């Protein structure tokens, strides 16, 4: 079996589901694939000792010890955006390349954000529940139009921009805040940047698309709620801890926030990568249901919660596999892509 620079390679995948195996086999025809149940660890590494590449997810930590058990390996293809489970220095020392999946779900998460907005504006869960019980009365089901309203986008990165495009399709006014404003993009998409406080003051709907870092933790807290327009709708599909839950409950109570649509909650177990949520290893260590059940927000009549499901579309998951397959094919074709 050949290695770098030629078309054919021996590749061992860990942490894959059945459908992903079939998909990868189709995408990587011409290579010799092997699939091992579970993660890549000291014990299972021997199964990949003759492999030219390994495909892993974040539950397979790669360090010098593991690498020493993979003497033929030239490439680690992680099927994740994050790569802090991989010791890059140790890889470099052994001449092992590492590639990742830089993005896969920006439209997917944006669509979910809009699903939450529309669920709220048109009272979809309440309407569907009522119709299911054979009750077709309309009392209490009047919604509101999005057209002409102002949406405030916090974070105009990959996902935020998709939300902006969708909002423009609904003829909403878009105001945005970002630490690194892209004025050219704003002109092209037809939105304006404003200060954080001005965005809070002007927006009827606020949608969060910021990373969770020390400076953004609780960015939506009591002070921010104090500046919001009365009756504002808050949407969070980014990270739970961007919002101070206690302050949100108070803002719901005093009417500052009329409705909240949340795909993420502050008390979630620490999630680095969305796809963790589909992994059995994650389910064993974190009981999301219990966390959610204990949460006051879950039963709030003006809050819609989805279980961190925004990333979870067939297409988004296939994009992870497509990029991984391209990473591997390109590398063994002599042109590394998405190297980290
Ligand atoms: P991105 O990196 O493309 O965009 C983030 C934006 O935030 C950038 O434009 C950046 O300049 C801006 N930013 C960073 N720090 C800031 C600060 N302190 N103040 C103001 N702006 C700041 O990220 P993305 O891919 O658009 O993802 C956005 C969020 O969505 C992330 O938190 C990510 O974890 C989350 N996410 C959620 C799901 C889900 O299933 N719910 C799936 C994928 C991503």
């Amino acid at each position: 079996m050949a290695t770098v620079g030629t078309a054919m390679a021996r590749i061992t995948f860990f942490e894959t589901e059945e459908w992903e195996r079939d998909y990868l086999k189709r995408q990587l025809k011409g290579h010799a694939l092997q699939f091992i149940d579970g993660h890549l660890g000291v014990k299972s590494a021997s199964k990949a000792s003759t492999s030219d590449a390994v495909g892993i997810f974040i539950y397979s930590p790669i360090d010098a010890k593991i690498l020493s058990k993979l003497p033929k390996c030239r490439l680690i293809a992680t099927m994740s955006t994050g790569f802090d489970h991989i010791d890059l220095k140790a890889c470099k020392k052994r001449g092992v390349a590492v590639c990742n999946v830089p993005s896969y779900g920006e439209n997917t998460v944006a669509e979910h954000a809009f699903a939450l907005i529309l669920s709220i504006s048109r009272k979809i869960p309440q309407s569907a529940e009522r119709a299911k019980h054979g009750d077709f009365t309309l009392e209490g089901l009047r919604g509101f139009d999005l057209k002409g309203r102002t949406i405030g986008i916090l974070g105009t990165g990959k996902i935020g921009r998709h939300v902006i495009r969708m909002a423009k399709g609904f003829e909403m006014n878009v105001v945005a805040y970002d630490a690194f404003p892209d004025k050219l993009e704003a002109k092209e998409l037809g939105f304006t940047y404003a200060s954080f406080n001005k965005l809070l003051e002007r927006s009827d709907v606020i949608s969060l698309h910021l990373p969770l870092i020390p400076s953004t933790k609780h960015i939506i807290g009591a002070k921010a709620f104090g500046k919001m327009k009365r009756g504002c709708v808050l949407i969070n599909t980014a990270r739970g801890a961007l919002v101070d839950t206690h302050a949100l409950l108070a803002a719901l109570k005093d009417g500052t926030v009329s409705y909240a649509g949340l795909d993420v909650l502050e008390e979630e177990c620490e999630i680095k990568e969305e796809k963790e949520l589909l992994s059995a290893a994650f389910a064993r260590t974190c009981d999301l249901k219990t966390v959610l059940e204990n949460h006051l927000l879950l039963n709030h009549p003006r809050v819609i919660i989805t279980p961190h499901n925004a990333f979870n579309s067939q297409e988004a998951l296939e994009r992870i596999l497509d990029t991984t397959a391209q990473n591997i094919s390109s590398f063994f074709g002599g042109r590394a892509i998405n190297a980290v």
Side-chain angles (χ1 to χ4, degrees):
M1 200 65 57
T3 56
V4 186
T6 60
M8 186 79 116
R10 225 188 268 267
I11 305 148
T12 301
F13 284 96
F14 294 83
E15 302 187 76
T16 50
E17 290 178 22
E18 206 54 49
W19 76 269
E20 293 177 306
R21 296 175 181 191
D22 294 339
Y23 194 93
L24 285 166
K25 277 182 209 160
R26 285 197 298 275
Q27 298 289 312
L28 288 165
K29 269 191 193 130
H31 294 286
L33 307 192
Q34 178 187 214
F35 297 94
I36 305 294
D37 288 335
H39 70 282
L40 169 57
V42 178
K43 275 190 192 153
S44 56
S46 61
K47 294 181 177 144
S49 60
T50 59
S51 295
D52 303 305
V54 293
I56 56 164
F57 187 51
I58 61 162
Y59 294 109
S60 296
I62 303 293
D63 56 17
K65 196 169 174 191
I66 295 282
L67 289 170
S68 71
K69 296 186 182 294
L70 304 170
K72 294 262 165 63
C73 183
R74 315 279 9 117
L75 175 69
I76 309 272
T78 186
M79 294 177 278
S80 59
T81 305
F83 44 84
D84 43 0
H85 51 297
I86 301 170
D87 182 341
L88 294 180
K89 261 195 197 152
C91 288
K92 199 170 175 194
K93 211 168 161 189
R94 286 190 74 99
V96 176
V98 179
C99 58
N100 75 335
V101 179
S103 68
Y104 62 93
E106 42 260 47
N107 69 292
T108 310
V109 178
E111 286 173 27
H112 195 88
F114 248 93
L116 290 171
I117 295 171
L118 289 165
S119 293
I120 288 168
S121 69
R122 306 318 308 261
K123 294 198 162 64
I124 299 295
Q126 301 92 315
S127 302
E129 190 58 28
R130 195 177 291 185
K132 201 182 271 178
H133 292 96
D135 179 353
F136 287 84
T137 60
L138 299 183
E139 203 189 329
L141 293 185
R142 186 166 302 154
F144 60 87
D145 281 358
L146 295 180
K147 181 178 172 174
R149 300 222 177 221
T150 299
I151 185 167
I153 305 293
L154 286 175
T156 54
K158 295 185 284 294
I159 297 169
R161 283 170 201 213
H162 268 275
V163 177
I164 291 172
R165 283 193 200 98
M166 291 173 193
K168 296 301 287 183
F170 280 92
E171 298 183 47
M172 298 183 83
N173 307 311
V174 181
V175 59
Y177 168 74
D178 196 288
F180 303 96
D182 183 340
K183 298 256 167 71
L184 204 67
E185 182 87 358
K187 203 170 166 203
E188 262 169 37
L189 294 183
F191 70 92
T192 51
Y193 279 103
S195 69
F196 180 61
N197 287 344
K198 282 272 178 290
L199 179 147
L200 300 175
E201 284 165 21
R202 285 193 214 155
S203 303
D204 301 298
V205 178
I206 294 174
S207 194
L208 308 184
H209 304 288
L210 295 167
L212 178 62
I213 48 177
S215 64
T216 59
K217 185 168 183 208
H218 288 185
I219 189 166
I220 302 296
K223 216 167 140 195
F225 285 118
K227 299 208 182 307
M228 282 181 196
K229 216 185 216 185
R230 195 174 164 75
C232 177
V233 171
L234 181 70
I235 303 295
N236 189 5
T237 54
R239 283 290 179 265
L242 294 175
V243 178
D244 178 340
T245 309
H246 293 293
L248 172 59
L249 283 164
L252 280 158
K253 198 171 176 190
D254 70 19
T256 304
V257 171
S258 57
Y259 289 92
L262 312 171
D263 186 51
V264 286
L265 291 173
E266 197 177 355
E267 285 78 5
E268 275 179 22
C269 307
E270 203 171 305
I271 293 163
K272 287 190 198 137
E273 194 92 2
E274 276 38 57
K275 207 167 163 270
E276 274 180 80
L277 296 162
L278 299 174
S279 154
F282 181 81
R284 271 199 302 278
T285 46
C286 300
D287 186 353
L288 270 187
K289 190 162 175 284
T290 309
V291 177
L292 286 172
E293 274 170 358
N294 289 339
H295 207 285
L296 277 170
L297 285 173
L298 187 65
N299 292 317
H300 197 288
R302 288 182 282 116
V303 178
I304 297 177
I305 291 175
T306 51
H308 204 141
N309 198 34
F311 75 101
N312 191 16
S313 76
Q314 185 63 29
E315 290 79 2
L317 298 179
E318 285 179 7
R319 275 193 290 273
I320 294 177
L321 300 180
D322 288 339
T323 304
T324 301
Q326 282 157 14
N327 287 349
I328 292 170
S329 294
S330 296
F331 181 83
F332 288 105
R335 190 180 61 88
I337 55 168
N338 295 323
V340 293

